[in-house]
Structures are given as structure tokens and as C-alpha cells.
Amino acid sequence: MVSELGPLDAKTSGCILALPLKSSATSGKKGNHGKVVGLVLGIIGGVAALVVAALLFVVLCRKRKKRKHAEASHEEFVSSFKSAVLPNSGAKWFQSGELEKATNGFSQRNFLGKGAYGVVYKGVLSDGSFIAVKEMHDPESLRDEEFSNEVEIISKIRHRNLLSLRGCCVTSDIFRGRRRSNGSLGDHLASDHTRRQLTWPHRKNIILDVAKGLAYLHHGIKPAIYHRDIKANNILLDKEMKAKVADFGLAKQSSEGQSHLTTRVAGTHGYLAPEYALYGQLTEKSDVYSFGVVILEVISGRKVIDTSSASYLLITDWAWMLLKSGKMEEIYDEAIRDEGAKGVMERFVLVGMLCAHAMVAFRPTIADALKMLEGDIDIPKLPDRPLPLSHESFRQPAKASSHSGSSSVSERS
């Protein structure tokens, strides 16, 4: 088909395709309209981009200002720490590069454990000595306070069963140098395989080491120091399986002439003494309670809180029920039942139960507990314990009483 207007004319295309097509004039109007719409959209997009850029600029400025403020605050802390704390602590000042080199850049292969306030890595210094480095990761508001407190507390400690401070380092992230080579007691109790490697002599000596360390804190220095977080994960073991009490970030010094401190509750569930957990009353007997829980944990290999049942069961309540039922041997970990003298193992369980008694008055001092463990003094008869909350009597509805006093009360009500 031929058209005198040529093949490019709209009429030609419409004839060939048999489709109604708009005229070129209409197409032209549409094109102009599209250009206007595009121009408007372009202007709107440009304005939006400028607004977004402005917002980003404001956010970045605020972040930069906040970062400068944080850096200034941190530098102020470092300066005051070096002048006030470090000279009195006797600790070496490490550069962050030294600790990075010692831990292979804080490699996961050097990972030892994780606590409430940081991650611990093993390391080797240039002189060949072994250390453990704790990298703080808690919120900024707690970092400086916890760090300074622990450095000051540990700097006053000189005892073979307490972890000593080798040095410290303060950078944008705070690191603390420590000796640690064989993990924590918690690490060894965490799995069946490692727990079975803990023989009865190991467990016995670990308990005695912890008792000696605590006795020094409570009675060997003045003013006394209350640890507040005695637990398996804070008991470190060296290559000879000697135990050292560690992590003094929550420790408090006692006040002269006061029988107890009233303070914010801190520590780990299952290890906290009732009077401390409920009322914040902290005494040396609070640490004794936690120590008693550790004794039962070490001897039984059992978790401090059993969450497998519908109701939580504390290790102290579990051990007491077996003890009252005449099933003392079931408290011992199967891995050690045939290893130690039954009389000695029983003595350790009884001391653990006495130390972890719910009533403060019935707990011994740590010095007396140590003497009981070593057989130097007799263990008093265990006083009864309050019923555990998991006891069936708390789950059953109270029955009506026929007692006359009850009847009169009902009548008055």
C-alpha cells in the first residue's frame, strides 16, 4: 500500500495496522504535558533530596558533637585515672597494642569466657608470662565506675587464692589484664565431659582455695571486702587446678562500726542470699551464702537453678530434700561417688548446707566454715529450713480448719 504522504505519516501507519491512531497534533500536546510533569517531578525530587541531605547533615553534626563530648569525657577519665588510681594500684600501664598482640588481635581462638561486663581472652606477653585480658563491653555509664572500683579493690589484694592485678589499659574500649590459663570453674562444670575430669581431690581443693580467699577478704584486711558475686564463673583455675577468686567489679568495702551495708542489689540469681536479694542488706554472711551454693554445685555437678521442671528448684532446696530423706549419696556427682572418703564428702555437703542456710543467724563466718571443712571444729546440727516455694503445700488450696480459733476469726470477719 502506498500513501502520498509517505510511510512516516500517522495515517499510513493507521491504514497498515488497521488501528485508530491519534493525530500528530495530539501527540505533540501529550509530549509537552509529559515534559511539564517531568519538570515538576524533577523539582520535587530535588527539593526532597535537599531536605534529606540537610537532615543527614544535622544528624552527622550531632553524632560528631556527641562523639567529641564522649572522647573529651573519656580523656578526662583517663587523665584522672592515671593520676589518682594508677599510682596507688601498683599496676603496669599497658598499651592497647601490647594486649592486641598478646591475644592475637582478641582472636576467638583465645576466647576464655563471657561475663556480665565483658569478654575474657587468654594472652601471652612478650616476656612469656600468661595473662587474661578482660574487654569491657558494658554501657558507658557503668564502664568507668566498675573499672575504677575493680582496679582499686584488686590493688589491695595479695593472696594466692585471689586473682591479682597484673596491669590495665584504658582506651576508647577499656581492657583489664589478668592472669588466667585454665578457664573458670564454671567452664569445667558446664559439660559432662569436662565435669567428669574434675576428680574429688580437685573439687575438694578448689572449695578450700575459695574458702581461704574469702577468709582473707573478710578477715585478713581492714576494712573487709565483700565480693558480692561469688559463683563458679568467677573462680579461675590455673594449670595445677588451683583456684583463684576473680572479678571484683561488684565488690564493696565494709564501713567501720557497721554490721551491714545497705546497697543496690547486684550479683547472679541462685547465688544471692535472701536478705540481700530482698532488702539489699549486705554482710560477710552474704558471701558465705554464695560460697555454700558453690560447694553444693561443685560436689553435685548440678546447675544452681533447675529450670527443667514446671517450678524452679534451687540447688539448696534439692540437696536439703535428699538430705532429709536419708539419700545423702545422691547429692554427690556420679563421677566422684567412688573416689573420696564418704565421711569427708558428707562433711563438705553439710558445711555447704549450713553456709547456704536461708537464715543469716545460722550461717557460720567464712573462717569457721573453713575450719569445719578442714575438720578442725565440729559442724553443728543443721537447723530446719523454710519449705521451698516448689513444695506441694504451696500449690494446694488451704483446707478448712476445725480449730476453734479459726472459727471465731471467721465469725468476726
Side-chain angles (χ1 to χ4, degrees), residues 275-401:
E275 75 283 353
Y276 176 51
L278 293 173
Y279 309 112
Q281 290 190 352
L282 177 68
T283 69
E284 64 174 293
K285 297 291 186 70
S286 305
D287 280 349
V288 171
Y289 181 93
S290 303
F291 173 63
V293 173
V294 169
I295 292 177
L296 298 177
E297 184 181 12
V298 171
I299 292 179
S300 68
R302 184 184 175 93
K303 292 182 179 179
V304 174
I305 303 178
D306 181 10
T307 59
S308 61
S309 59
S311 58
Y312 293 109
L313 183 63
L314 294 174
I315 192 172
T316 49
D317 295 328
W318 168 80
W320 178 254
M321 288 188 291
L322 289 177
L323 188 65
K324 294 295 288 183
S325 302
K327 301 176 181 178
M328 169 76 80
E329 289 198 6
E330 291 187 22
I331 298 175
Y332 313 145
D333 191 341
E334 291 183 0
I336 61 170
R337 285 182 186 176
D338 299 325
E339 288 187 6
K342 293 299 185 287
V344 177
M345 297 173 73
E346 179 178 341
R347 183 167 76 238
F348 272 61
V349 170
L350 294 176
V351 173
M353 293 298 303
L354 190 62
C355 288
H357 199 282
M359 302 297 292
V360 183
F362 293 138
R363 293 177 217 151
T365 64
I366 193 64
D368 284 344
L370 178 57
K371 292 177 182 178
M372 293 177 193
L373 290 170
E374 293 179 329
D376 294 335
I377 61 175
D378 293 333
I379 302 172
K381 181 181 178 180
L382 289 182
D384 286 337
R385 293 173 57 87
L387 290 174
L389 293 178
S390 59
H391 193 270
E392 61 181 5
S393 61
F394 290 103
R395 298 193 297 268
Q396 294 177 349
K399 296 181 179 179
S401 173

Side-chain angles (χ1 to χ4, degrees), residues 106-155:
F106 298 96
S107 168
Q108 280 299 111
R109 293 184 178 181
N110 290 45
F111 175 83
L112 285 175
K114 183 177 181 180
Y117 296 104
V119 180
V120 182
Y121 301 87
K122 66 180 178 181
V124 183
L125 296 176
S126 57
D127 62 2
S129 58
F130 288 93
I131 63 169
V133 182
K134 186 172 184 178
E135 179 186 7
M136 302 290 287
H137 60 56
D138 46 319
E140 291 286 346
S141 59
L142 295 177
R143 255 186 203 176
D144 295 349
E145 178 186 351
E146 298 290 349
F147 178 73
S148 298
N149 180 63
E150 187 160 5
V151 170
E152 289 192 68
I153 291 291
I154 300 181
S155 66

Side-chain angles (χ1 to χ4, degrees), residues 25-322:
T26 305
S27 300
K29 290 179 181 180
K30 183 177 179 180
N32 292 334
H33 178 71
K35 289 179 180 180
V36 172
V37 173
L39 180 61
V40 172
L41 292 176
I43 293 174
I44 294 174
V47 172
L50 288 174
V51 172
V52 172
L55 290 174
L56 288 175
F57 179 76
V58 171
V59 171
L60 289 174
C61 286
R62 288 183 178 178
K63 283 187 176 181
R64 186 176 299 175
K65 185 177 180 180
K66 186 177 180 180
R67 182 176 180 180
K68 285 183 178 180
H69 177 72
E71 289 176 352
S73 299
H74 183 73
E75 289 301 323
E76 182 180 351
F77 166 74
V78 172
S79 178
S80 63
F81 179 86
K82 285 184 176 181
S83 60
V85 181
L86 193 63
N88 301 321
S89 68
K92 176 183 175 181
W93 185 259
F94 284 99
Q95 298 297 324
S96 59
E98 293 180 82
L99 300 181
E100 288 181 6
K101 183 178 180 181
T103 59
N104 292 324
F106 298 96
S107 168
Q108 280 299 111
R109 293 184 178 181
N110 290 45
F111 175 83
L112 285 175
K114 183 177 181 180
Y117 296 104
V119 180
V120 182
Y121 301 87
K122 66 180 178 181
V124 183
L125 296 176
S126 57
D127 62 2
S129 58
F130 288 93
I131 63 169
V133 182
K134 186 172 184 178
E135 179 186 7
M136 302 290 287
H137 60 56
D138 46 319
E140 291 286 346
S141 59
L142 295 177
R143 255 186 203 176
D144 295 349
E145 178 186 351
E146 298 290 349
F147 178 73
S148 298
N149 180 63
E150 187 160 5
V151 170
E152 289 192 68
I153 291 291
I154 300 181
S155 66
K156 301 173 183 177
I157 294 172
R158 295 290 185 275
H159 193 274
R160 64 182 180 180
N161 296 126
L162 297 171
L163 196 68
S164 59
L165 181 70
R166 178 67 181 269
C168 51
C169 170
V170 180
T171 63
S172 57
D173 290 316
I174 297 176
F175 303 105
R176 288 178 287 180
R178 309 263 190 72
R179 295 179 183 272
R180 178 174 177 177
S181 60
N182 200 20
S184 71
L185 175 60
D187 296 334
H188 287 267
L189 294 173
S191 68
D192 290 339
H193 175 69
T194 53
R195 194 184 74 250
R196 291 181 180 280
Q197 293 178 347
L198 284 175
T199 64
W200 165 244
H202 285 151
R203 302 186 196 211
K204 174 186 174 182
N205 290 330
I206 287 169
I207 292 171
L208 291 174
D209 287 344
V210 175
K212 292 172 184 176
L214 281 178
Y216 173 79
L217 289 178
H218 291 180
H219 307 291
I221 54 178
K222 298 293 181 181
I225 295 175
Y226 306 144
H227 189 281
R228 291 209 298 169
D229 200 17
I230 296 297
K231 61 181 180 180
N233 285 342
N234 286 340
I235 298 169
L236 309 184
L237 306 176
D238 63 16
K239 290 182 178 179
E240 286 73 41
M241 299 299 286
K242 299 291 184 182
K244 296 180 184 292
V245 178
D247 205 334
F248 291 82
L250 300 179
K252 288 278 187 182
Q253 285 188 310
S254 64
S255 299
E256 295 293 340
Q258 291 186 357
S259 60
H260 71 272
L261 302 175
T262 302
T263 181
R264 175 179 61 88
V265 177
T268 305
H269 293 300
Y271 295 93
L272 296 181
E275 75 283 353
Y276 176 51
L278 293 173
Y279 309 112
Q281 290 190 352
L282 177 68
T283 69
E284 64 174 293
K285 297 291 186 70
S286 305
D287 280 349
V288 171
Y289 181 93
S290 303
F291 173 63
V293 173
V294 169
I295 292 177
L296 298 177
E297 184 181 12
V298 171
I299 292 179
S300 68
R302 184 184 175 93
K303 292 182 179 179
V304 174
I305 303 178
D306 181 10
T307 59
S308 61
S309 59
S311 58
Y312 293 109
L313 183 63
L314 294 174
I315 192 172
T316 49
D317 295 328
W318 168 80
W320 178 254
M321 288 188 291
L322 289 177

